[in-house]
Amino acid sequence: MKGVLFDLDGVIADTSVYHFQAWRKLIKDHFNRELPDELEVQTKGVSRADSLTAILNYLDIKVTDSEFNKMTEEKNDVFRELLASLTPANILPGISELISELKAHNVKLSLASASLNGPYILEKLELINTFDAIADPSKVAAGKPAPDIFIAAADAINLSPKECVGIEDSIAGIKAINSSGAFSVGVGNENELSEAYLLYSDTSKLSYEQINAAWKKHN
Ligand code: BG6
Ligand code: MG
């Protein structure tokens, strides 16, 4: 295992919930409607626009292109407000330890997040200098579940996806890792992430030795 391609929201930090909180506020303000918990899974890992499309489809609401764009901007403003108080304390359990192990074994770290806020969040978590590369989601042709962002993240550390492991908490993300050719590690619910090659219930269980051994066996 020469590289690890990290998802951000829900893997490195507990910022995943902020996204859905921001969507909830936006939908309440605009349409006075509530979003059910079950909808969150459809917005995880996918781009801002794809998230809003899923939400509007669920609500059976149609908006004009300019309203749509205004809503994605407004959602991001709410999300950024929620991020304002982010500190290294928001790094999920086990992640700092895993990063230290990876560094000790000369494994390269690359960010494969769909979020345009990735660099800002890594800065607030004081992890920006820890990463060897950050793939730019605005430069890839298709978002997760397409493999593009994982291929770009591997490429940014001069590796092929086969030499890498991807870590994800979303269904779209696991599908993206698998079709990129990297080895997928899921963090979360077994029913949701059944396609992951290796699954952990939460980040505190992530183990460098286990992941490396599973990657080796797979290749
Ligand atoms: C992913 C989140 O990491 O980033 C999604 O899981 C989000 O919920 C996506 O839609 C895009 O994020 P942003 O910050 O560009 O709106
Ligand atoms: Mg995620």
Side-chain angles (χ1 to χ4, degrees):
M1 173 173 69
K2 294 187 181 157
V4 172
L5 317 173
F6 277 89
D7 176 45
L8 173 57
D9 297 307
V11 170
I12 296 176
D14 55 2
T15 43
S16 191
V17 287
Y18 295 169
H19 279 290
F20 202 59
Q21 238 172 284
W23 286 124
R24 279 198 153 128
K25 181 172 180 340
L26 183 92
I27 296 304
K28 180 86 188 157
D29 290 353
H30 279 253
F31 309 114
N32 198 24
R33 299 271 301 267
E34 306 289 341
L35 298 179
D37 293 346
E38 306 88 77
L39 200 61
E40 185 172 2
V41 67
Q42 288 186 47
T43 63
K44 260 194 207 173
V46 302
S47 71
R48 202 179 302 169
D50 289 350
S51 296
L52 182 55
T53 301
I55 291 168
L56 292 175
N57 281 343
Y58 169 84
L59 295 171
D60 202 16
I61 289 173
K62 293 198 173 32
V63 298
T64 64
D65 286 355
S66 89
E67 276 167 338
F68 187 96
N69 293 337
K70 211 177 137 259
M71 285 175 77
T72 56
E73 277 170 30
E74 224 177 280
K75 181 267 176 177
N76 195 49
D77 291 342
V78 179
F79 181 60
R80 294 281 291 221
E81 271 169 37
L82 294 168
L83 291 181
S85 56
L86 207 68
T87 71
N90 293 88
I91 297 174
L92 284 165
I95 292 295
S96 300
E97 293 78 358
L98 178 67
I99 288 176
S100 301
E101 280 280 331
L102 293 170
K103 291 265 170 199
H105 290 90
N106 290 318
V107 177
K108 292 241 155 63
L109 311 185
S110 189
L111 195 74
S113 171
S115 176
L116 299 168
N117 293 294
Y120 175 71
I121 295 175
L122 283 190
E123 239 169 67
K124 299 218 76 160
L125 299 173
E126 295 176 15
L127 286 175
I128 193 97
N129 298 321
T130 306
F131 273 74
D132 298 290
I134 298 174
D136 184 348
S138 71
K139 299 247 162 68
V140 299
K144 301 171 189 179
D148 306 34
I149 193 80
F150 284 96
I151 295 169
D155 195 53
I157 46 175
N158 299 312
L159 295 172
S160 75
K162 275 227 133 266
E163 298 171 295
C164 300
V165 161
I167 309 182
E168 262 289 350
D169 69 320
S170 71
I171 301 171
I174 293 293
K175 286 187 193 293
I177 297 171
N178 290 348
S179 46
S180 79
F183 180 85
S184 60
V185 174
V187 179
N189 186 307
E190 199 175 349
N191 299 325
E192 278 174 27
L193 305 181
S194 57
E195 289 175 41
Y197 296 147
L198 178 64
L199 183 71
Y200 291 97
S201 57
D202 63 80
T203 53
S204 72
K205 312 257 172 28
L206 289 163
S207 144
Y208 165 78
E209 298 296 343
Q210 271 177 11
I211 294 171
N212 190 39
W215 171 83
K216 231 185 238 171
K217 206 171 153 209
H218 178 80
N219 283 279

